[in-house]
Amino acid sequence: MWYQKGEKGRTLIGRVPFKRDLLESVQEFAAKQKIKCARVEIIGAVEKAVISYYNQDKRVYEDREFNEHLEIVSCLGNLSLRDSKPAVHLHITLGDSEGQLKGGHLQKGTIVFAGEFVIEEILGPELHRGHDPDTDLPLWQKNKSTPGRL
Ligand code: ZN
């Protein structure tokens, strides 16, 4: 296990625009605000959603598209760097009209009806995503300046 230490930076709280792509909106906002590392949470509702499940045997994301109005019961994730640009990684739990939940890795194609976000910037760490050979996922890579090896 390894980690980097960070300190609290800005707390940014606001709305995600109506009928915009959820993932792209957060990504663009983070880039504009020059955020390198953060925790992200969002609640609200979507008009439609695309989420995926990572098939660990096949090593591929399997997308699921839901063309229905859904509540964002919870959307949590983080922001780090991929190819030196802010990269948002979000997982979302969605509730339907029956109160049934579905969830997974948020993909582009999820269209916001209403969205309220809180982004807590973390100053200090530089977490870069790179290919992880064990999982074939773009996971955070330890670098030589990483303190606190456990
Ligand atoms: Zn994910």
Side-chain angles (χ1 to χ4, degrees):
M1 198 179 294
W2 60 269
Y3 68 95
Q4 295 185 18
K5 277 188 176 177
E7 293 178 12
K8 287 184 180 179
R10 297 170 289 172
T11 298
L12 305 169
I13 181 166
R15 278 182 53 192
V16 185
F18 183 60
K19 288 196 185 283
R20 292 282 309 279
D21 187 285
L22 179 56
L23 188 62
E24 286 180 345
S25 295
V26 177
Q27 191 90 28
E28 286 168 17
F29 180 77
K32 207 171 175 182
Q33 293 291 325
K34 300 189 185 330
I35 302 169
K36 290 182 177 175
C37 187
R39 58 182 288 166
V40 179
E41 68 174 58
I42 304 160
I43 58 170
V46 298
E47 294 185 343
K48 57 181 263 189
V50 180
I51 56 179
S52 61
Y53 167 82
Y54 188 67
N55 185 316
Q56 295 178 20
D57 294 322
K58 295 180 183 169
R59 303 290 174 100
V60 291
Y61 277 107
E62 297 171 349
D63 289 353
R64 310 246 187 297
E65 197 167 339
F66 299 98
N67 286 306
E68 58 184 307
H69 298 168
L70 299 161
E71 296 287 324
I72 304 173
V73 176
S74 171
C75 182
L76 298 172
N78 55 56
L79 192 152
S80 55
L81 299 170
R82 189 171 181 182
D83 300 325
S84 300
K85 293 177 190 154
V88 181
H89 181 199
L90 294 170
H91 284 193
I92 192 165
T93 307
L94 297 161
D96 67 17
S97 60
E98 302 297 316
Q100 297 294 309
L101 300 177
K102 44 199 101 197
H105 177 99
L106 181 68
Q107 295 286 7
K108 287 179 187 172
T110 299
I111 305 303
V112 172
F113 181 74
E116 299 171 347
F117 70 83
V118 179
I119 297 175
E120 293 178 336
E121 185 181 34
I122 301 166
L123 300 173
E126 280 227 354
L127 291 164
H128 293 266
R129 290 193 179 278
H131 179 256
D132 175 70
D134 292 333
T135 62
D136 279 332
L137 287 166
L139 300 182
W140 290 332
Q141 301 297 305
K142 187 173 74 159
N143 62 40
K144 285 177 183 148
S145 64
T146 302
R149 188 185 170 90
L150 289 178

